[in-house]
Amino acid sequence: MTLDFFTDIAFLAGAIAFVWGLRLLSSPDTARRGNIIAGLGMGIAILAAMFQPMGTVPNNYLWIVGGMVVGGIAGWISARKVQMTAMPQMVSIFNGLGGACAVVLASAELYYFYDGQTALSMGELLILYLALLIGAVAFTGSMLAFAKLQGLVNDRKVTLPYHNILNLIMLAVLLGLTVYALMQGKAFGFNMAMLILALGLIYGFSFVAPIGGADMPVVISLLNSFSGLSAASAGFAYDSRIMIVGGILVGASGTILTILMCEAMNRSLLNVLIGGFGSSGKAGPAGAAGDQVAKEVSLTDAAIQLFYSNSVVIVPGYGLAVAQAQMVVKELDALLEANGVNVKYGIHPVAGRMPGHMNVLLAEADIPYDKLLDLDAANEALAQADIAVVVGANDVVNPAAETDPSSPIYGMPVLQVWKAKNVIVLKRSMNPGYAGIQNPLFFMDNTRMLFGDAKDTLNKLVQEIKNM
Amino acid sequence: METIMSFFEENLEMIYLLAFTILLGFEVISKVPTVLHTPLMSGANAISGVVIIGAILLMRRAAPDDYLTLTLGFIGIVLGMVNVAGGFAVTDRMLEMFKKKKKNA
């Protein structure tokens, strides 16, 4: 029995743990165990990589352990400290770092090749360039996504005129240069390889730049799948099966989420990537709004309506996250439930800025997940509900998606809040949402508006109900 | 064409692995409820930190006086480890919240 045997078994165990862990992660009752199993698999794989026999090599264990301690502590602390409302940003950063790691590996290997220390076939060279480019796009793309989510840059201020055409040209140049590099072999030179890297990094920024707001969940899922694919390519280069398995699984899960997000908006991926809704044909349904007046409701009336209803469906949107109002929502929920009101939540798949954003926020406020209804279940509940309370959501409750073929969001599945007997919309002002689309919901007969900051308004509602 | 064929032949085992893992991945993950979209994404993200294995292998081969490689490897290990440790920890934190008490009404 050699050490080889044990490390190979360990890698196999790690790969199985990844698959098994992801399987468990897809069901609410087992998800936590799934994450722990995948984490253990990673631990085993890292140990195996450290002791896998490689002939006589210097090992440099001190450097390796040092790096792991630094990275481990940094990662663990930021994971513990981050606020739940900042979760999309955190996930973006971690994702970007994985991509950056693949870039570092590919750069090192390319350096050895052009320096004459190693010989590579064209296929092996192609794999290194794939790891380099996909990793670069995942890295800078995620960093820009982070900056956007954190509010450091404005969605609209980072685009250039003809941005999509520029992006296409850049992509074509990148691919052309890469093909040229493959044909040139060693003559291409390391400096040119770094030029490709630089272009790839710029492309990552540029590719995410025009995408923002409600399209964020799509781009985050897509970047997630990229970081997986870059890890898998690096795995090919290092002949490491576990890297291939891990990377491809991530690529698959990112792809599935991307598809789900696109379906939830009834748009193709291409449509999301070039030209968000804001820029294309927003003038469509303008006529509807002009002469109509939205009806307001007083806090007291809203409180009375809620108090005497039998069933309430709350529909949260990004505005809830911005106002950090999840705890007050829970308070309102508890108060109403104590008075015999049945409270549920209608969650649209693309509400918020990452897949499942609303679920995480409401879970933080201790709201049990069985009260959170997905699109179909929520629409059933809404048809029976006395009151629908819309908190900081707009496009996902827009009836124009069903009724107005000229609307840019026509065809997108929405939460049919208007089917409830009454609708109360909590909103900061009458400004249209991210997409810049007028929402006829606000002018419907059974809709009442409650203007103000969501958290503030909810707090006052809670007070009113307490005083009854 | 010849290069493609020889690459295919040389890496046949890896290509099999690639093909089956793609199918397996889609099969395992295809039906995720909305509740778990974020944890799944962040858990998968942690798994993509598996790229750290490559950084460890790179580092182990580096000559003790090859500071370029040592530095690159070190950076790679730090980046990968932040992704791994942070990713699993943050996912666990999220799932811990999901676990808490069922409906009490």
Side-chain angles (χ1 to χ4, degrees):
Chain A
M1 298 272 248
T2 57
L3 188 56
D4 247 332
F5 173 76
F6 286 108
T7 53
D8 281 341
I9 293 278
F11 279 131
L12 178 64
I16 292 172
F18 288 167
V19 177
W20 189 25
L22 276 177
R23 163 101 238 164
L24 295 181
L25 256 175
S26 334
S27 149
D29 293 325
T30 54
R32 195 171 181 200
R33 196 145 41 94
N35 182 54
I36 292 172
I37 288 171
L40 285 177
M42 184 68 78
I44 294 173
I46 288 176
L47 279 179
M50 287 182 63
F51 298 111
Q52 171 190 2
M54 295 175 73
T56 42
V57 289
N59 282 330
N60 301 304
Y61 281 133
L62 215 58
W63 284 80
I64 295 179
V65 173
M68 295 213 298
V69 169
V70 173
I73 291 178
W76 199 79
I77 289 181
S78 34
R80 286 282 128 189
K81 288 225 159 137
V82 63
Q83 292 230 330
M84 277 301 150
T85 42
M87 205 46 89
Q89 291 92 306
M90 190 89 259
V91 174
S92 290
I93 291 194
F94 287 153
N95 193 46
L97 297 185
C101 183
V103 168
V104 169
L105 292 183
S107 305
E109 295 300 327
L110 284 171
Y111 177 77
Y112 301 141
F113 170 67
Y114 289 116
D115 197 41
Q117 299 178 33
T118 51
L120 296 176
S121 71
M122 195 196 268
E124 290 165 323
L125 200 55
L126 170 66
I127 282 160
L128 284 182
Y129 273 107
L130 280 180
L132 187 77
L133 287 177
I134 303 175
V137 172
F139 173 51
T140 50
S142 300
M143 290 303 132
L144 183 58
F146 160 76
K148 285 184 167 204
L149 292 165
Q150 187 74 18
L152 298 176
V153 293
N154 184 310
D155 286 341
R156 294 169 203 278
K157 288 203 176 130
V158 281
T159 45
L160 301 165
Y162 304 106
H163 199 104
N164 293 321
I165 298 174
L166 277 178
N167 270 353
L168 278 177
I169 294 174
M170 208 182 323
L171 185 62
V173 170
L174 258 179
L175 296 179
L177 267 177
T178 308
V179 171
Y180 184 66
L182 295 181
M183 300 198 315
Q184 288 283 299
K186 205 175 279 175
F188 191 69
F190 183 66
N191 290 339
M192 287 297 284
M194 288 300 99
L195 177 74
I196 291 191
L197 171 60
L199 271 178
L201 292 170
I202 296 172
Y203 181 73
F205 265 115
S206 182
F207 145 81
V208 174
I211 309 168
D215 292 341
M216 238 37 212
V218 179
V219 79
I220 292 186
S221 319
L222 191 65
L223 290 169
N224 189 23
S225 101
F226 283 176
S227 74
L229 295 180
S230 67
S233 313
F236 246 102
Y238 280 83
D239 233 357
S240 163
R241 294 175 191 86
I242 188 142
M243 284 167 75
I244 295 181
V245 170
I248 291 295
L249 288 174
V250 179
S253 96
T255 308
I256 287 175
L257 281 177
T258 310
I259 294 169
L260 283 176
M261 294 301 114
C262 285
E263 275 174 358
M265 296 198 293
N266 189 40
R267 296 167 67 201
S268 70
L269 180 57
L270 196 68
N271 185 276
V272 175
L273 295 183
I274 59 177
F277 329 85
S279 49
S280 64
K282 65 178 160 192
D291 44 353
Q292 284 172 301
V293 184
K295 293 169 281 285
E296 283 190 59
V297 62
S298 74
L299 271 169
T300 320
D301 286 347
I304 291 172
Q305 279 187 32
L306 287 170
F307 189 80
Y308 290 108
S309 63
N310 289 317
S311 62
V312 171
V313 177
I314 299 177
V315 177
Y318 186 53
L320 177 89
V322 173
Q324 306 234 6
Q326 65 274 29
M327 296 297 179
V328 202
V329 168
K330 165 72 185 179
E331 212 180 323
L332 180 68
D333 177 338
L335 206 54
L336 291 175
E337 288 275 3
N339 285 297
V341 184
N342 180 8
V343 182
K344 297 276 190 219
Y345 298 79
I347 311 287
H348 194 280
V350 294
R353 291 292 182 265
M354 69 175 169
H357 194 176
M358 293 300 122
N359 302 82
V360 176
L361 281 186
L362 295 175
E364 189 198 6
D366 253 359
I367 292 164
Y369 63 77
D370 51 9
K371 294 181 84 163
L372 314 183
L373 309 176
D374 59 17
L375 201 58
D376 294 334
N379 279 335
E380 271 171 40
L382 280 164
Q384 313 287 326
D386 292 323
I387 305 180
V389 182
V390 179
V391 187
N394 189 351
D395 297 330
V396 296
V397 293
N398 193 336
E402 292 190 350
T403 56
D404 180 0
S406 70
S407 171
I409 59 168
Y410 183 69
M412 165 170 152
V414 287
L415 288 163
Q416 300 158 332
V417 287
W418 57 90
K419 294 208 170 150
K421 290 197 191 78
N422 292 290
V423 185
I424 299 176
V425 179
L426 273 66
K427 206 168 169 343
R428 230 177 319 200
S429 68
M430 276 308 285
N431 287 338
Y434 160 76
I437 302 159
Q438 198 47 262
N439 192 339
L441 172 72
F442 305 153
F443 308 106
M444 286 183 157
D445 284 337
N446 57 343
T447 304
R448 294 292 178 273
M449 309 296 291
L450 247 183
F451 291 113
D453 172 73
K455 190 174 184 178
D456 191 45
T457 310
L458 285 167
N459 260 322
K460 287 179 184 156
L461 269 180
V462 167
Q463 279 313 315
E464 288 281 345
I465 295 175
K466 274 186 184 159
N467 293 337
M468 277 196 276
Chain B
M1 192 62 208
E2 209 172 298
T3 24
I4 296 175
M5 280 166 68
S6 67
F7 179 77
F8 183 81
E9 287 301 330
E10 278 163 26
N11 293 282
L12 198 54
E13 187 217 0
M14 290 298 194
I15 292 168
Y16 264 85
L17 185 64
L18 187 75
F20 287 126
T21 312
I22 293 173
L23 292 177
L24 184 67
F26 279 102
E27 201 53 43
V28 163
I29 305 157
S30 62
K31 288 215 173 69
V32 206
T34 321
V35 200
L36 287 172
H37 281 175
T38 301
L40 176 77
M41 184 176 69
S42 119
N45 180 24
I47 292 179
S48 76
V50 73
V51 68
I52 193 181
I53 303 282
I56 293 174
L57 298 180
L58 173 75
M59 189 73 117
R60 284 185 59 195
R61 281 186 323 214
D65 58 347
D66 179 359
Y67 289 105
L68 177 73
T69 306
L70 288 176
T71 311
L72 284 178
F74 186 79
I75 295 172
I77 287 178
V78 172
L79 293 173
M81 200 61 198
V82 172
N83 188 347
V84 168
F88 283 117
V90 106
T91 311
D92 188 62
R93 225 182 108 193
M94 264 185 260
L95 291 170
E96 191 184 3
M97 302 182 320
F98 284 131
K99 267 283 173 214
K100 272 185 211 155
K101 64 177 174 185
K102 287 252 167 178
K103 198 169 179 173
N104 43 15

